[in-house]
Each structure stands twice: as structure tokens, then as C-alpha cells.
């Protein structure tokens, strides 16, 4: 009988460039399973434990930790080493440490330690908006979560939700004057102010002018995430 399951590994040379792995240490490395984040913008959970947080020394040890139910992602116990970990995900360890995955120093994903008070909160970006029966709106977010809500949100806005439930605790509009985080590209991890927003045209996407430090950059809105008004509402760098 032929093999039915998908491959659980990929060649190291084909892995995303931001992965914190040694490219010539071996031929293969664990891969990201289909899930809440695109494979090219996520880490497999086992790799986060072994290569990013260094709480395990081997893939086998990371798998044993997960199978024992000692790791939570967004407040939910996860046991799959290949589970996708992406932007703003909160990884909680059994020893009480919690980390948020954010862009940092041009890298797409890096862990930052967060306080106990913040592990129950997550920042998410609205990526879709659909009208459903009953004159209600269903919103989709960057991490594949969905929510039916009476709140008036726009695609591009951000929300702070409580974990593990998806209840909106605050709303951050994507508008001129908002504080923003650059989430991809060479400036990934920079926090600045949205100076202007320009509508898209036939040859150009909708763009935002973001100033930080001593420079300003114009970026497609997909590369920018609103994280607060005067300052980030939660720790993002």
C-alpha cells in the first residue's frame, strides 16, 4: 500500500531564510504542517523549542515535551512538533515562561519574553470581512482565527483578543497617526507612525508611509500592522 501521509521534513537548503538553523548540519529538517500560518512565514513548533528557545537539544526531546502537554500556543495545549507558529503567537512553557513571536532586526519571527499579565492577550490583524445571515459580519484574522461580531471593523485594522477565547478587548484602526509595526522586509521589527495612507491604483497596491527613527518608508499595507495609537498596546519589540 502506498504512503498516505504527507512528508514531515524538508531539505535544509530549501527552508525559509529566517529559520535559526545550521544549513550544513544535516540534509533534512522538520517542516511546517498546514495550519494557521503560511509555511513560508512560520516555524514548526518543535523547531521553536529546539533551535529558537533552546529548551530541547534534539527533535526527539522536543517531541517528548510536546507529547507530555507541557507547551501551550495561544492558551491551547499543542502536541504536534510540526504545528505552525507565526506572527504574534504566544508560546507558553510549563516552567511559567511565555514568549511572543514578532519580527525583529529584519528577521520575520523572533521570540520576545512577555510578562504573566500579557500571555492572555494577542494582537491580530483583520484580513477579511464577510456579511453573513442575520445582518452580522464575520471577520477573518491573519492567524486564521474567525469571529462573528457586531463591531464595525475594517480590513487592515488590528484587535487585541483574549486567549484562548477569541473575544475582542480593544480595537486599533489602521489610519493616519496610528503606531505601526513593520512585519516583513528589510525593516521588519521597526515601530513607527503612519504618516499617510494612499489608495491603490492599477499598477500599485494600497500603501502606507511609515516614519521611524530618522527615516520614512512607503510600504504596501500588507507589510504593516497597527499596534496602537500613541504607543504599542502590548509588547511587540
Amino acid at each position: 500500500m502506498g504512503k498516505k501521509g504527507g512528508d514531515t521534513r524538508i531539505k535544509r537548503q530549501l527552508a525559509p531564510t529566517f529559520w535559526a538553523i545550521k544549513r550544513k548540519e544535516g540534509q533534512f529538517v522538520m517542516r511546517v504542517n498546514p495550519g494557521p500560518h503560511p509555511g513560508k512565514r512560520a516555524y514548526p513548533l518543535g523547531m521553536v523549542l529546539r533551535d529558537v528557545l533552546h529548551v530541547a537539544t534534539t527533535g526527539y526531546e522536543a517531541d517528548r515535551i510536546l507529547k507530555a502537554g507541557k507547551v501551550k500556543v495561544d492558551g491551547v495545549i499543542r502536541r504536534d512538533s510540526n504545528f505552525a507558529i507565526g506572527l504574534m503567537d504566544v508560546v507558553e512553557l510549563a516552567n511559567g515562561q511565555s514568549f511572543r513571536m514578532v519580527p525583529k532586526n529584519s528577521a520575520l519571527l523572533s521570540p520576545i519574553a512577555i510578562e504573566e499579565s500579557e500571555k492572555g492577550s494577542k494582537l491580530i490583524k483583520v484580513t477579511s470581512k464577510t456579511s453573513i445571515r442575520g445582518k452580522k459580519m464575520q471577520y477573518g484574522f491573519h492567524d486564521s482565527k474567525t469571529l462573528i461580531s457586531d463591531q464595525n471593523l475594517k480590513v487592515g485594522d488590528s484587535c487585541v483578543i483574549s486567549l484562548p477565547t477569541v473575544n475582542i478587548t480593544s480595537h486599533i484602526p489602521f489610519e493616519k497617526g496610528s503606531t505601526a509595526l513593520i512585519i516583513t522586509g528589510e525593516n521588519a521589527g521597526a515601530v513607527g507612525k503612519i504618516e499617510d495612507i494612499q489608495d491603490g491604483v492599477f499598477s500599485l497596491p494600497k500603501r502606507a508611509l511609515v516614519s521611524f527613527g530618522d527615516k520614512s518608508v512607503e510600504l504596501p499595507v500588507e507589510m504593516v500592522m497597527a499596534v496602537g495609537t500613541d504607543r504599542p498596546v502590548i509588547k511587540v519589540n
Side-chain angles (χ1 to χ4, degrees):
M1 181 179 291
K3 182 179 178 182
K4 293 184 178 180
D7 203 342
T8 60
R9 60 184 188 171
I10 59 173
K11 288 187 175 180
R12 286 177 180 263
Q13 298 299 327
L14 300 178
T17 56
F18 69 90
W19 281 12
I21 58 174
K22 296 179 180 179
R23 301 286 162 169
K24 297 183 179 180
E25 189 174 80
Q27 185 176 5
F28 295 100
V29 70
M30 63 184 75
R31 65 173 297 170
V32 176
N33 278 346
H37 299 279
K40 293 182 179 180
R41 295 187 178 185
Y43 268 114
L45 181 53
M47 187 178 293
V48 172
L49 299 182
R50 185 189 65 188
D51 301 295
V52 180
L53 299 180
H54 305 292
V55 297
T57 55
T58 65
Y60 175 76
E61 186 178 345
D63 193 56
R64 290 289 298 273
I65 292 172
L66 293 171
K67 290 295 190 294
K70 295 182 178 180
V71 178
K72 292 182 179 180
V73 178
D74 290 352
V76 178
I77 294 175
R78 298 294 181 184
R79 304 178 190 272
D80 181 9
S81 290
N82 300 95
F83 183 78
I85 302 297
L87 180 66
M88 294 297 169
D89 283 354
V90 176
V91 180
E92 182 183 351
L93 307 179
N95 62 8
Q97 291 181 301
S98 297
F99 300 87
R100 178 173 291 118
M101 303 299 291
V102 298
K104 187 177 181 180
N105 299 329
S106 299
L108 198 62
L109 290 174
S110 293
I112 56 170
I114 57 175
E115 300 293 333
E116 177 79 14
S117 59
E118 283 203 0
K119 72 177 185 180
S121 299
K122 181 179 181 179
L123 197 59
I124 52 178
K125 182 176 181 178
V126 180
T127 55
S128 66
K129 179 178 180 180
T130 306
S131 177
I132 62 174
R133 185 178 299 177
K135 298 183 179 180
K136 294 185 177 182
M137 300 302 299
Q138 177 173 295
Y139 297 99
F141 302 101
H142 81 273
D143 62 352
S144 299
K145 289 182 174 63
T146 59
L147 177 67
I148 297 174
S149 174
D150 295 327
Q151 296 195 45
N152 184 21
L153 310 177
K154 296 180 180 179
V155 172
D157 288 355
S158 298
C159 300
V160 177
I161 61 170
S162 58
L163 299 173
T165 58
V166 186
N167 294 321
I168 296 175
T169 58
S170 64
H171 166 223
I172 306 165
F174 188 87
E175 62 186 9
K176 183 177 178 180
S178 294
T179 299
L181 172 69
I182 299 176
I183 56 178
T184 62
E186 64 180 20
N187 295 303
V191 176
K193 284 286 184 180
I194 299 177
E195 300 293 344
D196 192 20
I197 299 175
Q198 300 182 13
D199 291 331
V201 294
F202 179 76
S203 59
L204 289 173
K206 187 176 181 180
R207 307 170 310 285
L209 180 65
V210 182
S211 63
F212 56 94
D214 58 352
K215 65 179 181 180
S216 297
V217 293
E218 188 176 85
L219 301 167
V221 294
E222 290 77 14
M223 298 176 65
V224 182
M225 183 177 191
V227 295
T229 50
D230 296 328
R231 58 187 179 85
V233 293
I234 58 177
K235 186 177 179 180
V236 295
N237 59 5

